Amino acid sequence: MTIATIDDFEKLDIRCGTVIDARPFPEARRPAIKLVVDFGPDIGTRKSSAQITALYEPADLVGRKVMAVVNLPPRQIGPFLSEVLVLGFPDREGRIVLAAPGDGVPDGARLA
C-alpha cells in the first residue's frame, strides 16, 4: 500500500450527485452503464461509465445519490467520454456496490 499525505487527499474533489439518466453501454468491452449525474449548480451534470451491471439495472439508478471524483481528466471509453469517476466497493463476489452519502446531503456537497 502506498502512503498518501493529507495534501494528496485534498487534491481529490469528491462530490455528491444524483443520477438523472442511466442507459446500457453495449459498446463497452466490459459490461457497463452510462450515467449522467447532477452535481448541483456549481458543477452541473457530468457523464460516467460505470462497471456496475452485476448489481444494478439502469432504470433503478435514476434518482439515486452517488459519490464521484469530479476533478480527474476525462477518459475516452470506446465512443463515450467519461467525465467523472463514480465510486464503489467490491462485495465478497467482486461485484461493485456504489458508495453513497447519507440522507439530506445536497448535490454538489464535497467530501470533507
Side-chain angles (χ1 to χ4, degrees):
M1 172 175 34
T2 301
I3 301 299
T5 67
I6 192 68
D7 291 333
D8 294 329
F9 175 75
E10 289 176 344
K11 289 177 186 175
L12 294 176
D13 191 355
I14 301 172
R15 302 283 181 133
C16 170
T18 300
V19 176
I20 60 171
D21 190 35
R23 298 174 189 263
F25 188 9
E27 303 90 355
R29 267 189 254 160
R30 290 190 258 169
I33 297 173
K34 295 189 279 189
L35 304 173
V36 178
V37 182
D38 183 358
F39 292 101
D42 291 340
I43 296 173
T45 61
R46 297 288 188 270
K47 299 180 294 181
S48 184
S49 171
Q51 295 173 2
I52 56 174
T53 58
L55 294 176
Y56 302 97
E57 292 293 327
D60 298 331
L61 292 166
V62 175
R64 184 182 185 98
K65 292 279 190 179
V66 295
M67 297 170 59
V69 181
V70 299
N71 66 332
L72 295 173
R75 186 171 182 177
Q76 191 72 42
I77 301 174
F80 185 76
L81 186 64
S82 188
E83 301 170 308
V84 298
L85 177 63
V86 173
L87 301 175
F89 297 93
D91 68 8
R92 287 186 175 93
E93 287 81 41
R95 302 170 301 184
I96 300 302
V97 177
L98 290 169
D103 293 334
V105 178
D107 290 344
R110 185 173 184 182
L111 181 70

